[in-house]
Amino acid sequence: MSSRHLSAIATSLVVASFSAVVILSAPAGADAPGTGGGQGGKVVDKAPAGVRVTTALPRKISVDNHSKKTAITATVKNGGTKDSGDIRLLVVGFGGLRVTGVPGCQAIAEKDLPAGSNSGFSCTVGRLAPGRTTSYAVAATYDLTKEGKICLPVQTADGKKTYWQQGPVPFGAANPSPNAPATPLLLGTDNEPVAPGGDQLARTGAGRDVLPLGAAAAALVAAGAAGLWWSRGRPRDRRQG
């Protein structure tokens, strides 16, 4: 076989390999408008004319491998042309990600948490003027032996309508480093859990890949056309004075 023929084959293999990397590295469920920090977000109930609330999460967080602690900034924005009216933000944790505190916000009672979640806080945003944002410092822990997700619904103050919901969207690492001081996790990345006590990666549960992020969000939206999970018929969350 000629050297020219061998060179052509090698070039084709390199191009094919590069294409596969690009396709596989594209984040799943990144269907929200705006930057990557808003991925996994969807409109649920129609907001009043001129109101467009969205949320954003950091693209990268870091988990302390000793304490399992991490910090996440949750941001709410009104990208519309009119005042949002009184709204609230819910911060809910799933799987290995447990929300432990949000300053100025009230913990959601266990009986009021959505199915499958482990923790949550309700934050009174109030009225958000056009073009304005407000951010919350979310304290959390992350068990790297599990997958972890976070969800940010934005509702009317009484919880009867959900204008926007981001997630549950995963934070994760394709190659966790349990022996390092900290493990960086990326938004929109399914965590490849670390086996307890070792560096071996392990997938947890036979159905790990059965329900992708987009389908999970769609399932939650389908749970109630007028709101999500527990928002219908629930008594209004107590507001922190």
Side-chain angles (χ1 to χ4, degrees):
M1 186 178 293
S2 70
S3 59
R4 179 177 298 178
H5 192 191
L6 288 173
S7 177
I9 293 174
T11 301
S12 298
L13 289 174
V14 169
V15 171
S17 299
F18 177 75
S19 299
V21 170
V22 171
I23 293 170
L24 293 175
S25 63
D31 55 357
T35 65
Q39 64 180 266
K42 296 188 180 294
V43 172
V44 183
D45 293 315
K46 186 176 181 180
V51 176
R52 184 176 179 270
V53 292
T54 57
T55 56
L57 290 162
R59 298 188 186 192
K60 182 178 179 180
I61 63 174
S62 182
V63 177
D64 185 295
N65 287 332
H66 177 69
S67 66
K68 298 183 180 179
K69 292 181 179 180
T70 186
I72 304 169
T73 300
T75 301
V76 185
K77 179 180 180 180
N78 179 9
T81 58
K82 293 186 178 180
D83 186 292
S84 69
D86 285 330
I87 57 174
R88 68 179 183 181
L89 170 72
L90 305 182
V91 183
V92 185
F94 292 80
L97 194 158
R98 178 180 292 273
V99 181
T100 57
V102 186
C105 304
Q106 183 178 11
I108 299 173
E110 185 175 354
K111 64 182 179 64
D112 294 328
L113 289 171
S117 68
N118 56 42
S119 55
F121 283 76
S122 176
C123 306
T124 301
V125 178
R127 305 179 75 89
L128 203 57
R132 298 300 298 272
T133 64
T134 185
S135 297
Y136 295 87
V138 179
T141 59
Y142 198 118
D143 182 351
L144 292 174
T145 66
K146 303 176 182 178
E147 293 182 338
K149 297 181 180 182
I150 191 170
C151 190
L152 303 179
V154 180
Q155 303 179 330
T156 52
D158 59 10
K160 291 183 177 180
K161 289 188 176 182
T162 300
Y163 293 150
W164 174 265
Q165 177 174 301
Q166 184 175 2
V169 63
F171 275 102
N175 186 24
S177 307
N179 294 325
T183 296
L185 302 181
L186 299 178
L187 178 66
T189 301
D190 286 329
N191 191 47
E192 299 251 1
V194 176
D199 293 339
Q200 293 296 318
L201 299 182
R203 291 177 179 265
T204 56
R208 178 183 180 275
D209 294 321
V210 173
L211 188 63
L213 173 62
L220 286 171
V221 171
L228 294 189
W229 307 321
W230 72 107
S231 62
R232 290 296 189 193
R234 290 283 184 184
R236 183 183 302 187
D237 285 354
R238 289 176 296 175
R239 303 278 290 278
Q240 185 168 340

